[in-house]
Amino acid sequence: MGGMDYARFWPAFKSAGLLERVTLVGEPPLEFDGGLNRPDRGIFDERAQAGENILEYQTADVPGMRVGAQLVIERGPNAGTYKVTRKPMQDRAGYFSTVPLERLR
């Protein structure tokens, strides 16, 4: 019996409208899909609340994510510029990472 196929989740999240297009500012800029949890919005069917802005993404999509990096979301309710405040943390399998963000504007 094989392990879980994590690659199936991201396309499903995207097709359900749960991901946003994010740009890591740099030369060249790097675009990727990510899911942003904000402290002013409920998660897990409104049973929990994030304590800060947390971005989740596929680890392999952004290998250069660093503290201080700037991220831009251009559309939707989360549109704005953000700064990474702590180093990324990977899940147990290493497939997904999360990083806390500070909203700059």
Side-chain angles (χ1 to χ4, degrees):
M1 178 173 231
M4 184 173 289
D5 181 9
Y6 292 99
R8 295 189 300 164
F9 292 108
W10 222 239
F13 294 160
K14 187 171 183 173
S15 69
L18 299 173
L19 301 179
E20 302 176 73
R21 201 68 182 155
V22 180
T23 301
L24 173 64
V25 176
E27 282 299 322
L30 175 65
E31 290 188 3
F32 63 98
D33 292 315
L36 182 64
N37 290 315
R38 297 182 353 207
D40 63 334
R41 293 225 165 123
I43 54 177
F44 302 120
D45 200 23
E46 301 296 326
R47 290 179 277 167
Q49 187 174 8
E52 58 190 331
N53 294 309
I54 301 288
L55 180 72
E56 183 173 17
Y57 59 95
Q58 293 181 112
T59 305
D61 288 349
V62 195
M65 186 72 78
R66 303 276 185 266
V67 173
Q70 286 197 5
L71 305 173
V72 176
I73 298 174
E74 292 190 14
R75 297 186 193 141
N78 296 323
T81 301
Y82 298 83
K83 179 174 76 171
V84 175
T85 59
R86 290 193 306 272
K87 71 178 198 165
M89 294 185 62
Q90 293 183 6
D91 67 354
R92 289 182 75 167
Y95 197 84
F96 298 109
S97 288
T98 58
V99 66
L101 304 175
E102 173 188 346
R103 186 176 184 134
L104 301 175
R105 53 187 159 100

